[in-house]
Structure formats: C-alpha cells, structure tokens
C-alpha cells in the first residue's frame, strides 16, 4: 500500500499469519490479509462482492476483529459518496487506494475525492435531471434523444441543452447519427445514479399546507406518504402530494400545518412529477433524491429498500 507510505509515511508490512475461525459467509465476502501499520497489527479486507449495507459491514468487521484481536480495514476499489458517508457514520475504517484513508484507530482521516463526488458543481437543470432519470429508468446504454422528446414532452432544443449539460458534467456522452442524436454511457443504472447523486437537485422547491377539500384534481402522492407505498414504512398522519404549480391554492394555504385531519402537505416541484410517474405516486428515483438529507434510520432503510426494487425492475427489463 504505497499510498499510505507516500502520503502519511505509514509503512505497511504484509504478513502470512492466519486469522482465527470465521464463518463461511465472511470468507465469501472478503479476501483477508494480515498486515502491520507502523508496527500495529491490522487486517485488510478486500471485498469479493458488492458492498453490503454499512450496518451489516459493521457487524461483519466486529466479528472479524473479535476473532483476530486487532482492527480490520475495508479496502474497496472505489466508493460512492453515499457509501463513504455511511461508512464514516458507522466508524468503519477504510482505504481507497490513491483517494481516501480513514483509520479511526490511528486518528487518521484523509480525503481527496470519492466516485461521484465533485466540488462546486453547476446546478443541474430541471430538464437535465428529468432526462437523466428517464435515461436511467430505460436501463442506460444507448438512447435516442427523440425518445425523450416524445415521453417527456420536451422540445428538441430543451433536450439538446439538457444532454449537453449532462455531457459537460461527464455523466454521459452524445453522438450525432445522421439526423438522430444518441446519448450513451457504459455505466449501469445504479452506477449512473450514484455518479450523479451530487449533481441532482431536490425536486421539491417548497411546501405549503392546503385544506383537503380544496384539492379538486388528481395529484400524485409524495414524501413519506409515497415512501410508505414503496416500502414497509408506516404511512404518515399527513398526506403529502406533489404538483408542478401551486398557484391555485396559494390563497387558501398556510405555511405551517394547522390540522393533520383537515390539511394535506402540497409540494411544489421543479418539474412535472407526472412525467416520470407510472402510478399514483411520484417516481422512486425522484423521491429518493427528495429524501436524501433525511438521516432518520427508518427512512434510510425504506429508501434503500425502494431503490433495490428499482434496480431489480430495471435489470429484469434489460435481460
């Protein structure tokens, strides 16, 4: 691990010592290497599969550390921004070669940049966000922009501007083929979503509270109410709805909830939530983006459950 020595002057020595008895599921997930860090014993864990949830990794590492009697350090090839945040929250030591070092047992935290993390990025246009989310739902790969024009009811100019911004953000590529324009990427849907997570803007601009009797049109469920439809989360007491315009209710609305029985929460969205929805709720990816700053453990678990369903559904369509 030349990175540790070059950046921090920590010398890594690899050893052939064996680790105590561990269950098969641990060996199936990690290749383990005994080492010393400036003379301090530790174990490098090289993932063999995709990373589990941080809470599960925490339990696995605790078990390894009890068996070995020394710290264990996760050494993945890469980390998304969200994965890094979860590992830090669980105080799980990790090293991403050439990028990041987090060794709490040595009071070391060095951060350069993780996958999908870009400082001071330009705000993503609502049209670009819609286009990218639609592209992800289509399974990524290659897609004619004319398909997005038809589905999202964009003008060709809007799609061209949106795709150009996404290309400038290095999220996808564009190519002219005759009279057609194609957007493409080698990333899988889940990888694309992770790479774009810091570019996405919360689709919800503001929230007002409106008497239920004043809602005369059919609006999509959103917020925690929609999340309860997509997961095992219990539904909230206040119904949450989404709209791309709230002008019709401004005169009867309040900025604060006055009655959970008589009022509902109405979200103003940056783009028409119906463009990506395929049912009674806002689409799952937009919902996940709108709730990404919620640190409640139950909400995070429900969002992860919902996203797992999304990737399975997309993969089933691709196969």
């Amino acid at each position: 691990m030349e990175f540790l020595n070059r950046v921090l002057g920590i010398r890594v020595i690899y050893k052939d010592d064996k680790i105590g008895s561990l269950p098969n599921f641990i060996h199936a997930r990690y290749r383990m290497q005994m080492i010393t860090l400036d003379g301090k014993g530790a174990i490098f864990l090289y993932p063999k599969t995709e990373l589990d949830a941080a809470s599960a990794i925490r339990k696995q590492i605790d078990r390894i550390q009890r068996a070995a009697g020394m710290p264990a350090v996760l050494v993945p090839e890469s980390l998304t921004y969200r994965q890094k945040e979860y590992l830090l929250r669980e105080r799980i030591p990790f090293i991403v070669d050439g990028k990041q070092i987090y060794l709490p047992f040595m009071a070391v935290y060095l951060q350069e940049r993780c996958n999908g993390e870009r400082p001071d990025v330009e705000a993503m246009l609502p049209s670009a966000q819609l286009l990218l989310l639609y592209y992800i739902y289509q399974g990524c790969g290659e897609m004619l922009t004319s398909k997005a024009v038809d589905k999202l009811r964009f003008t060709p100019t809007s799609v061209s501007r949106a795709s150009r911004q996404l290309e400038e953000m290095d999220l996808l590529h564009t190519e002219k083929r005759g009279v057609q324009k194609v957007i493409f990427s080698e990333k899988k849907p889940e990888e694309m979503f992770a790479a774009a997570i810091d570019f996405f803007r919360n689709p919800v601009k503001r929230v007002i509270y409106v008497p239920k009797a004043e809602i005369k049109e059919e609006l999509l469920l959103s917020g925690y109410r929609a999340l309860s439809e997509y997961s095992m989360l219990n539904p909230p007491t206040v119904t949450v709805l989404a709209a791309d315009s709230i002008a019709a209710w401004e005169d009867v609305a309040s900025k604060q909830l006055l009655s959970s029985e008589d009022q509902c929460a109405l979200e103003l969205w940056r783009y028409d939530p119906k463009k990506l929805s395929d049912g009674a709720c806002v689409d799952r990816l937009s919902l996940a983006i709108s709730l990404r700053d919620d640190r409640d453990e139950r909400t995070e678990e429900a969002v992860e459950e919902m996203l797992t369903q999304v990737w399975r559904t997309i993969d089933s369509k691709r196969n």
Side-chain angles (χ1 to χ4, degrees):
M1 184 67 71
E2 177 61 25
F3 179 48
L4 279 173
N5 192 21
R6 184 181 75 250
V7 176
L8 299 174
I10 297 176
R11 189 181 179 195
V12 181
I13 298 178
Y14 294 86
K15 304 175 69 176
D16 294 327
D17 296 2
K18 300 298 182 182
I19 302 171
S21 178
L22 288 168
N24 289 333
F25 77 87
I26 295 289
H27 290 285
R29 283 170 169 77
Y30 305 106
R31 178 174 68 83
M32 289 174 275
Q33 173 68 59
M34 296 284 286
I35 59 151
T36 61
L37 300 172
D38 278 353
K40 183 178 180 64
I43 306 168
F44 277 175
L45 304 178
Y46 299 91
K48 295 180 179 179
T49 62
E50 291 186 7
L51 291 178
D52 292 326
S55 57
I57 296 174
R58 175 76 273 172
K59 293 177 182 177
Q60 294 159 11
I61 285 182
D62 286 346
R63 189 158 188 173
I64 294 169
Q65 291 179 156
R66 286 196 301 270
M70 61 185 66
V73 181
L74 191 66
V75 190
E77 291 185 358
S78 63
L79 285 176
T80 66
Y81 175 77
R82 195 171 183 86
Q83 286 173 325
K84 182 205 70 175
E85 291 297 302
Y86 286 149
L87 294 178
L88 288 173
R89 193 181 312 170
E90 294 287 343
R91 292 185 59 80
I92 296 172
F94 62 85
I95 298 173
V96 180
D97 196 13
K99 293 183 178 180
Q100 294 180 310
I101 305 167
Y102 176 57
L103 305 173
F105 58 90
M106 298 181 72
V108 172
Y109 178 34
L110 174 70
Q111 172 178 268
E112 289 190 16
R113 194 174 76 180
C114 62
N115 291 25
E117 184 175 16
R118 296 172 173 83
D120 302 324
V121 296
E122 178 186 359
M124 186 179 288
L125 296 169
S127 57
Q129 187 156 320
L130 263 174
L131 176 61
L132 185 58
L133 292 177
Y134 179 64
Y135 174 68
I136 292 172
Y137 280 123
Q138 297 307 300
C140 294
E142 293 189 356
M143 187 183 80
L144 295 174
T145 56
S146 58
K147 187 174 183 179
V149 169
D150 295 337
K151 169 63 180 179
L152 302 176
R153 300 187 297 280
F154 281 166
T155 64
T157 301
S158 295
V159 171
S160 178
R161 184 184 178 198
S163 61
R164 184 167 61 250
Q165 185 186 46
L166 295 175
E167 186 169 30
E168 290 171 353
M169 290 175 167
D170 199 27
L171 293 172
L172 47 74
H173 307 285
T174 64
E175 184 177 286
K176 200 74 178 291
R177 296 181 185 174
V179 297
Q180 295 280 9
K181 187 175 183 180
V182 177
I183 58 177
F184 62 94
S185 170
E186 295 180 356
K187 293 184 180 71
K188 296 179 181 179
E190 187 172 0
E191 294 172 339
M192 178 63 78
F193 188 74
I197 193 65
D198 288 326
F199 291 114
F200 287 134
R201 301 178 69 187
N202 190 331
V204 181
K205 295 177 65 176
R206 56 185 287 235
V207 181
I208 59 175
Y209 298 91
V210 178
K212 295 177 182 177
E214 296 294 331
I215 305 295
K216 308 295 185 182
E217 61 185 270
E218 189 173 337
L219 299 176
L220 297 176
L221 296 174
S222 187
Y224 302 114
R225 182 63 183 84
L227 186 58
S228 70
E229 293 291 319
Y230 289 137
S231 68
M232 298 298 291
L233 188 74
N234 290 327
T237 56
V238 179
T239 299
V240 186
L241 302 172
D244 62 338
S245 173
I246 58 175
W249 300 281
E250 292 278 13
D251 293 339
V252 295
S254 61
K255 294 182 179 179
Q256 295 181 327
L257 180 66
L258 304 176
S259 171
S260 59
E261 293 184 1
D262 299 327
Q263 289 180 307
C264 63
L266 183 58
E267 298 176 341
L268 172 61
W269 275 43
R270 299 182 189 278
Y271 48 83
D272 185 353
K274 293 182 179 179
K275 288 189 175 183
L276 291 175
S277 173
D278 59 1
C281 301
V282 298
D283 76 281
R284 292 167 172 83
L285 295 183
S286 293
L287 180 60
I289 296 167
S290 73
L291 298 174
R292 64 176 297 214
D293 292 329
D294 190 314
R295 297 305 186 187
D296 183 271
E297 186 174 331
R298 293 168 300 178
T299 301
E300 290 183 335
E301 289 179 355
V303 169
E304 289 301 321
E305 177 188 345
M306 175 179 67
L307 289 176
T308 297
Q309 295 172 354
V310 172
W311 310 136
R312 286 175 179 169
T313 300
I314 293 176
D315 286 343
S316 68
K317 291 179 180 179
R318 296 173 69 200
N319 296 333

